[in-house]
Amino acid sequence: MARIKPQALLQQSKKKKGPSRISAVTILLCGLIVLLTIFFLYSSYSHWSLRSRIQTQSRKSLGFEVEQAFLDPKKSDLPGYAILNTSKGTITVELFKDGSSEVVDKFIDLCEKGHFKGMRFRHVIKHYVIQAGDADSLGAAEDWTLKGKRYSQLDTSLKHEAFMLGTSKRKHDDKGFELFITTAPIPDLTEKLIVFGRVVKGEDVVQEIEEVDTDEYFQPKSHIGIINVNLKQEI
């Protein structure tokens, strides 16, 4: 049997004791595992952080709504719609409880007292307004009728919407509470009316009233009036 030389044995011993190399595939796999672990931890943190913020905001919002309801419990109970039953048909109006609360309160109070029952449409101005009120005097609507002679010749204006419900800005008692429904956009609407609602159904009825024959003072030649007004929270 051949004998191994001492130098060959020394070289073999050094090779056995040397560290083993880590392959590139193993390094990539380890790096991928680390990245996935970091991504998972970040995703979990983001999820729970977002959930915590949403819950906090929900509690604040709920607390605000409860506080508002406690401060003004009657506001949510107010009717949101008025249904005007007229001799020409039904007109449904959405009331602006937030924007014109005082006028809406007055209007609702008068409705509950039956103030508008049997009220006549006193003036009808084409391409302008239809006006319902108790007074037979022309003084209350004199300025309206004068402007009506001009606006009845206009087609439209882009500044204000049609089918808005309002009452005059002049100081009046219960009997002087008039109703105006615009039949076309009016440039100086806010100068003349306190708008507290808009027609959401029955625009065709408003237009039918607008088309009736009137005299030189824009008073309907035939009797047209409000039969009654029903209040509802929803429609």
Side-chain angles (χ1 to χ4, degrees), residues 149-166:
K149 293 179 181 179
R150 177 161 58 94
Y151 282 111
S152 62
Q153 306 300 320
L154 300 178
D155 292 330
T156 58
S157 169
L158 299 177
K159 293 186 179 180
H160 293 287
E161 297 180 9
F163 303 111
M164 306 301 287
L165 174 68

Side-chain angles (χ1 to χ4, degrees), residues 8-204:
L9 288 173
L10 182 59
Q11 290 178 357
Q12 290 179 2
S13 175
K14 289 181 179 181
K15 289 181 181 180
K16 290 179 181 180
K17 292 180 180 181
S20 58
R21 294 182 179 179
I22 302 175
S23 65
V25 175
T26 303
I27 295 173
L28 290 175
L29 288 175
C30 291
L32 183 60
I33 292 172
V34 172
L35 288 175
L36 290 174
T37 302
I38 294 173
F39 177 76
F40 174 76
L41 292 174
Y42 176 77
S43 299
S44 299
Y45 170 77
S46 299
H47 170 75
W48 289 108
S49 177
L50 178 61
R51 182 174 179 180
S52 177
R53 288 198 300 268
I54 292 174
Q55 289 177 345
T56 302
Q57 291 175 356
S58 298
R59 291 192 194 100
K60 289 182 179 179
S61 177
L62 180 61
F64 177 77
E65 292 175 358
V66 171
E67 181 181 356
Q68 289 296 104
F70 178 76
L71 293 175
D72 194 3
K74 294 182 179 179
K75 191 172 183 181
S76 59
D77 296 333
L78 290 177
Y81 298 87
I83 300 176
L84 283 64
N85 297 307
T86 75
S87 51
K88 292 290 187 180
T90 300
I91 302 171
T92 302
V93 177
E94 179 185 5
L95 303 176
F96 298 157
K97 296 188 292 183
D98 295 328
S100 306
S101 57
E102 292 184 5
V103 179
V104 170
D105 289 344
K106 184 69 173 178
F107 173 75
I108 292 173
D109 180 62
L110 292 174
C111 288
E112 292 174 345
K113 292 179 180 178
H115 173 74
F116 301 104
K117 187 175 182 179
M119 179 178 285
R120 291 180 58 185
F121 285 98
R122 298 289 180 178
H123 298 92
V124 174
I125 306 173
K126 195 170 183 180
H127 299 310
Y128 198 47
V129 296
I130 59 176
Q131 177 252 342
D134 282 332
D136 288 321
S137 172
L138 290 176
E142 181 180 0
D143 187 45
W144 287 86
T145 55
L146 288 175
K147 284 185 174 292
K149 293 179 181 179
R150 177 161 58 94
Y151 282 111
S152 62
Q153 306 300 320
L154 300 178
D155 292 330
T156 58
S157 169
L158 299 177
K159 293 186 179 180
H160 293 287
E161 297 180 9
F163 303 111
M164 306 301 287
L165 174 68
T167 188
S168 62
K169 285 189 173 182
R170 67 184 183 86
K171 188 175 181 180
H172 46 61
D173 54 17
D174 290 359
K175 290 185 178 180
F177 195 101
E178 303 166 301
L179 296 180
F180 293 87
I181 300 178
T182 62
T183 61
I186 300 176
D188 59 351
L189 175 65
T190 54
E191 297 177 8
K192 296 297 178 184
L193 294 180
I194 301 175
V195 176
F196 64 94
R198 65 184 177 92
V199 177
V200 294
K201 188 177 180 180
E203 293 91 339
D204 56 328

